[in-house]
PDB file of all heavy atoms in Angstrom:
ATOM      1  N   HIS A  59     122.780 161.412  89.654  1.00  0.00           N
ATOM      2  CA  HIS A  59     124.028 161.432  90.443  1.00  0.00           C
ATOM      3  C   HIS A  59     125.196 161.900  89.521  1.00  0.00           C
ATOM      4  O   HIS A  59     126.133 162.546  89.960  1.00  0.00           O
ATOM      5  CB  HIS A  59     124.265 160.011  91.015  1.00  0.00           C
ATOM      6  CG  HIS A  59     123.384 159.747  92.263  1.00  0.00           C
ATOM      7  ND1 HIS A  59     123.546 160.391  93.450  1.00  0.00           N
ATOM      8  CD2 HIS A  59     122.394 158.926  92.473  1.00  0.00           C
ATOM      9  CE1 HIS A  59     122.662 160.071  94.326  1.00  0.00           C
ATOM     10  NE2 HIS A  59     121.936 159.090  93.721  1.00  0.00           N
ATOM     11  N   ILE A  60     125.239 161.426  88.216  1.00  0.00           N
ATOM     12  CA  ILE A  60     126.306 161.885  87.370  1.00  0.00           C
ATOM     13  C   ILE A  60     126.193 163.385  87.101  1.00  0.00           C
ATOM     14  O   ILE A  60     127.179 164.111  87.086  1.00  0.00           O
ATOM     15  CB  ILE A  60     126.164 161.128  85.988  1.00  0.00           C
ATOM     16  CG1 ILE A  60     126.630 159.634  86.142  1.00  0.00           C
ATOM     17  CG2 ILE A  60     127.026 161.782  84.898  1.00  0.00           C
ATOM     18  CD1 ILE A  60     126.444 158.785  84.926  1.00  0.00           C
ATOM     19  N   LYS A  61     124.916 163.862  86.940  1.00  0.00           N
ATOM     20  CA  LYS A  61     124.725 165.325  86.725  1.00  0.00           C
ATOM     21  C   LYS A  61     125.274 166.125  87.924  1.00  0.00           C
ATOM     22  O   LYS A  61     125.856 167.176  87.804  1.00  0.00           O
ATOM     23  CB  LYS A  61     123.223 165.544  86.548  1.00  0.00           C
ATOM     24  CG  LYS A  61     122.889 167.031  86.283  1.00  0.00           C
ATOM     25  CD  LYS A  61     121.405 167.185  86.072  1.00  0.00           C
ATOM     26  CE  LYS A  61     121.044 168.619  86.095  1.00  0.00           C
ATOM     27  NZ  LYS A  61     119.648 168.796  86.106  1.00  0.00           N
ATOM     28  N   ASN A  62     125.152 165.584  89.155  1.00  0.00           N
ATOM     29  CA  ASN A  62     125.566 166.266  90.357  1.00  0.00           C
ATOM     30  C   ASN A  62     127.038 165.874  90.785  1.00  0.00           C
ATOM     31  O   ASN A  62     127.454 166.172  91.842  1.00  0.00           O
ATOM     32  CB  ASN A  62     124.628 165.948  91.506  1.00  0.00           C
ATOM     33  CG  ASN A  62     123.276 166.590  91.328  1.00  0.00           C
ATOM     34  OD1 ASN A  62     123.227 167.722  90.893  1.00  0.00           O
ATOM     35  ND2 ASN A  62     122.219 165.898  91.615  1.00  0.00           N
ATOM     36  N   LYS A  63     127.700 165.134  89.802  1.00  0.00           N
ATOM     37  CA  LYS A  63     129.077 164.764  90.051  1.00  0.00           C
ATOM     38  C   LYS A  63     129.298 163.942  91.311  1.00  0.00           C
ATOM     39  O   LYS A  63     130.210 164.143  92.017  1.00  0.00           O
ATOM     40  CB  LYS A  63     129.973 165.999  90.000  1.00  0.00           C
ATOM     41  CG  LYS A  63     130.010 166.757  88.727  1.00  0.00           C
ATOM     42  CD  LYS A  63     130.911 167.932  88.756  1.00  0.00           C
ATOM     43  CE  LYS A  63     131.043 168.836  87.533  1.00  0.00           C
ATOM     44  NZ  LYS A  63     130.195 168.848  86.489  1.00  0.00           N
ATOM     45  N   ASN A  64     128.356 163.060  91.519  1.00  0.00           N
ATOM     46  CA  ASN A  64     128.454 162.104  92.678  1.00  0.00           C
ATOM     47  C   ASN A  64     129.011 160.738  92.297  1.00  0.00           C
ATOM     48  O   ASN A  64     128.910 159.849  93.166  1.00  0.00           O
ATOM     49  CB  ASN A  64     127.079 161.985  93.323  1.00  0.00           C
ATOM     50  CG  ASN A  64     126.706 163.276  94.049  1.00  0.00           C
ATOM     51  OD1 ASN A  64     127.495 164.038  94.508  1.00  0.00           O
ATOM     52  ND2 ASN A  64     125.355 163.521  94.045  1.00  0.00           N
ATOM     53  N   VAL A  65     129.371 160.497  91.092  1.00  0.00           N
ATOM     54  CA  VAL A  65     129.835 159.201  90.625  1.00  0.00           C
ATOM     55  C   VAL A  65     131.310 159.247  90.367  1.00  0.00           C
ATOM     56  O   VAL A  65     131.800 160.065  89.576  1.00  0.00           O
ATOM     57  CB  VAL A  65     129.087 158.762  89.383  1.00  0.00           C
ATOM     58  CG1 VAL A  65     129.612 157.416  88.835  1.00  0.00           C
ATOM     59  CG2 VAL A  65     127.639 158.659  89.595  1.00  0.00           C
ATOM     60  N   GLU A  66     132.056 158.438  91.048  1.00  0.00           N
ATOM     61  CA  GLU A  66     133.536 158.309  90.844  1.00  0.00           C
ATOM     62  C   GLU A  66     133.795 157.106  89.964  1.00  0.00           C
ATOM     63  O   GLU A  66     133.808 155.985  90.460  1.00  0.00           O
ATOM     64  CB  GLU A  66     134.191 158.110  92.290  1.00  0.00           C
ATOM     65  CG  GLU A  66     135.650 158.380  92.139  1.00  0.00           C
ATOM     66  CD  GLU A  66     136.295 158.445  93.567  1.00  0.00           C
ATOM     67  OE1 GLU A  66     135.674 159.116  94.410  1.00  0.00           O
ATOM     68  OE2 GLU A  66     137.389 157.902  93.692  1.00  0.00           O
ATOM     69  N   THR A  67     134.030 157.400  88.676  1.00  0.00           N
ATOM     70  CA  THR A  67     134.063 156.310  87.689  1.00  0.00           C
ATOM     71  C   THR A  67     135.343 155.438  87.891  1.00  0.00           C
ATOM     72  O   THR A  67     135.219 154.272  87.623  1.00  0.00           O
ATOM     73  CB  THR A  67     134.182 156.936  86.251  1.00  0.00           C
ATOM     74  OG1 THR A  67     135.216 157.868  86.206  1.00  0.00           O
ATOM     75  CG2 THR A  67     132.850 157.631  85.902  1.00  0.00           C
ATOM     76  N   LYS A  68     136.403 155.992  88.461  1.00  0.00           N
ATOM     77  CA  LYS A  68     137.546 155.137  88.720  1.00  0.00           C
ATOM     78  C   LYS A  68     137.206 154.027  89.716  1.00  0.00           C
ATOM     79  O   LYS A  68     137.693 152.881  89.599  1.00  0.00           O
ATOM     80  CB  LYS A  68     138.691 156.029  89.310  1.00  0.00           C
ATOM     81  CG  LYS A  68     139.994 155.327  89.586  1.00  0.00           C
ATOM     82  CD  LYS A  68     141.000 156.297  90.118  1.00  0.00           C
ATOM     83  CE  LYS A  68     142.275 155.611  90.586  1.00  0.00           C
ATOM     84  NZ  LYS A  68     143.210 156.494  91.258  1.00  0.00           N
ATOM     85  N   THR A  69     136.346 154.297  90.668  1.00  0.00           N
ATOM     86  CA  THR A  69     135.949 153.288  91.612  1.00  0.00           C
ATOM     87  C   THR A  69     134.855 152.398  91.024  1.00  0.00           C
ATOM     88  O   THR A  69     134.844 151.213  91.295  1.00  0.00           O
ATOM     89  CB  THR A  69     135.440 153.921  92.890  1.00  0.00           C
ATOM     90  OG1 THR A  69     136.386 154.819  93.434  1.00  0.00           O
ATOM     91  CG2 THR A  69     135.042 152.931  93.974  1.00  0.00           C
ATOM     92  N   ALA A  70     134.012 153.019  90.197  1.00  0.00           N
ATOM     93  CA  ALA A  70     132.868 152.252  89.650  1.00  0.00           C
ATOM     94  C   ALA A  70     133.224 151.183  88.638  1.00  0.00           C
ATOM     95  O   ALA A  70     132.623 150.133  88.559  1.00  0.00           O
ATOM     96  CB  ALA A  70     131.856 153.206  89.066  1.00  0.00           C
ATOM     97  N   LYS A  71     134.281 151.434  87.820  1.00  0.00           N
ATOM     98  CA  LYS A  71     134.602 150.498  86.703  1.00  0.00           C
ATOM     99  C   LYS A  71     134.911 149.056  87.234  1.00  0.00           C
ATOM    100  O   LYS A  71     134.281 148.142  86.660  1.00  0.00           O
ATOM    101  CB  LYS A  71     135.706 151.088  85.885  1.00  0.00           C
ATOM    102  CG  LYS A  71     135.343 152.173  85.023  1.00  0.00           C
ATOM    103  CD  LYS A  71     136.462 152.742  84.189  1.00  0.00           C
ATOM    104  CE  LYS A  71     136.012 153.954  83.377  1.00  0.00           C
ATOM    105  NZ  LYS A  71     137.190 154.515  82.621  1.00  0.00           N
ATOM    106  N   PRO A  72     135.733 148.873  88.140  1.00  0.00           N
ATOM    107  CA  PRO A  72     135.986 147.434  88.592  1.00  0.00           C
ATOM    108  C   PRO A  72     134.726 146.865  89.271  1.00  0.00           C
ATOM    109  O   PRO A  72     134.486 145.654  89.159  1.00  0.00           O
ATOM    110  CB  PRO A  72     137.170 147.512  89.604  1.00  0.00           C
ATOM    111  CG  PRO A  72     137.248 148.945  89.932  1.00  0.00           C
ATOM    112  CD  PRO A  72     136.691 149.758  88.878  1.00  0.00           C
ATOM    113  N   LEU A  73     133.957 147.734  89.923  1.00  0.00           N
ATOM    114  CA  LEU A  73     132.717 147.129  90.547  1.00  0.00           C
ATOM    115  C   LEU A  73     131.712 146.742  89.547  1.00  0.00           C
ATOM    116  O   LEU A  73     131.014 145.772  89.718  1.00  0.00           O
ATOM    117  CB  LEU A  73     132.115 148.294  91.462  1.00  0.00           C
ATOM    118  CG  LEU A  73     132.882 148.558  92.668  1.00  0.00           C
ATOM    119  CD1 LEU A  73     132.275 149.819  93.451  1.00  0.00           C
ATOM    120  CD2 LEU A  73     132.997 147.429  93.624  1.00  0.00           C
ATOM    121  N   ILE A  74     131.687 147.413  88.428  1.00  0.00           N
ATOM    122  CA  ILE A  74     130.674 147.058  87.350  1.00  0.00           C
ATOM    123  C   ILE A  74     131.037 145.679  86.812  1.00  0.00           C
ATOM    124  O   ILE A  74     130.183 144.801  86.707  1.00  0.00           O
ATOM    125  CB  ILE A  74     130.748 148.090  86.139  1.00  0.00           C
ATOM    126  CG1 ILE A  74     130.144 149.424  86.691  1.00  0.00           C
ATOM    127  CG2 ILE A  74     129.985 147.569  84.934  1.00  0.00           C
ATOM    128  CD1 ILE A  74     130.310 150.568  85.723  1.00  0.00           C
ATOM    129  N   TRP A  75     132.272 145.376  86.474  1.00  0.00           N
ATOM    130  CA  TRP A  75     132.696 144.091  85.933  1.00  0.00           C
ATOM    131  C   TRP A  75     132.460 142.981  86.906  1.00  0.00           C
ATOM    132  O   TRP A  75     131.940 141.885  86.578  1.00  0.00           O
ATOM    133  CB  TRP A  75     134.066 144.151  85.382  1.00  0.00           C
ATOM    134  CG  TRP A  75     134.205 145.066  84.210  1.00  0.00           C
ATOM    135  CD1 TRP A  75     134.849 146.302  84.174  1.00  0.00           C
ATOM    136  CD2 TRP A  75     133.582 144.887  82.921  1.00  0.00           C
ATOM    137  NE1 TRP A  75     134.683 146.816  82.934  1.00  0.00           N
ATOM    138  CE2 TRP A  75     133.871 146.042  82.149  1.00  0.00           C
ATOM    139  CE3 TRP A  75     132.726 143.855  82.359  1.00  0.00           C
ATOM    140  CZ2 TRP A  75     133.387 146.226  80.833  1.00  0.00           C
ATOM    141  CZ3 TRP A  75     132.331 144.105  81.118  1.00  0.00           C
ATOM    142  CH2 TRP A  75     132.583 145.226  80.345  1.00  0.00           C
ATOM    143  N   THR A  76     132.887 143.165  88.131  1.00  0.00           N
ATOM    144  CA  THR A  76     132.704 142.121  89.141  1.00  0.00           C
ATOM    145  C   THR A  76     131.220 141.986  89.519  1.00  0.00           C
ATOM    146  O   THR A  76     130.753 140.874  89.787  1.00  0.00           O
ATOM    147  CB  THR A  76     133.526 142.354  90.394  1.00  0.00           C
ATOM    148  OG1 THR A  76     133.268 143.651  90.893  1.00  0.00           O
ATOM    149  CG2 THR A  76     135.037 142.228  90.039  1.00  0.00           C
ATOM    150  N   GLY A  77     130.477 143.047  89.494  1.00  0.00           N
ATOM    151  CA  GLY A  77     129.046 142.962  89.768  1.00  0.00           C
ATOM    152  C   GLY A  77     128.323 142.222  88.690  1.00  0.00           C
ATOM    153  O   GLY A  77     127.351 141.427  88.969  1.00  0.00           O
ATOM    154  N   LEU A  78     128.675 142.360  87.422  1.00  0.00           N
ATOM    155  CA  LEU A  78     128.091 141.673  86.294  1.00  0.00           C
ATOM    156  C   LEU A  78     128.343 140.153  86.485  1.00  0.00           C
ATOM    157  O   LEU A  78     127.436 139.345  86.301  1.00  0.00           O
ATOM    158  CB  LEU A  78     128.652 142.132  84.985  1.00  0.00           C
ATOM    159  CG  LEU A  78     128.112 143.459  84.510  1.00  0.00           C
ATOM    160  CD1 LEU A  78     128.818 143.892  83.290  1.00  0.00           C
ATOM    161  CD2 LEU A  78     126.656 143.490  84.235  1.00  0.00           C
ATOM    162  N   LEU A  79     129.606 139.784  86.792  1.00  0.00           N
ATOM    163  CA  LEU A  79     129.872 138.409  87.045  1.00  0.00           C
ATOM    164  C   LEU A  79     129.104 137.818  88.251  1.00  0.00           C
ATOM    165  O   LEU A  79     128.497 136.762  88.150  1.00  0.00           O
ATOM    166  CB  LEU A  79     131.422 138.229  87.319  1.00  0.00           C
ATOM    167  CG  LEU A  79     131.854 136.812  87.603  1.00  0.00           C
ATOM    168  CD1 LEU A  79     131.608 135.867  86.396  1.00  0.00           C
ATOM    169  CD2 LEU A  79     133.378 136.778  87.915  1.00  0.00           C
ATOM    170  N   GLY A  80     128.993 138.603  89.347  1.00  0.00           N
ATOM    171  CA  GLY A  80     128.194 138.177  90.499  1.00  0.00           C
ATOM    172  C   GLY A  80     126.705 138.096  90.124  1.00  0.00           C
ATOM    173  O   GLY A  80     126.052 137.168  90.614  1.00  0.00           O
TER     174      GLY A  80
END
Side-chain angles (χ1 to χ4, degrees):
H59 286 290
I60 288 173
K61 183 179 169 190
N62 291 320
K63 297 181 179 20
N64 291 329
V65 176
E66 194 169 318
T67 55
K68 183 179 172 185
T69 303
K71 285 180 184 178
L73 292 174
I74 291 168
W75 293 111
T76 54
L78 288 172
L79 179 61

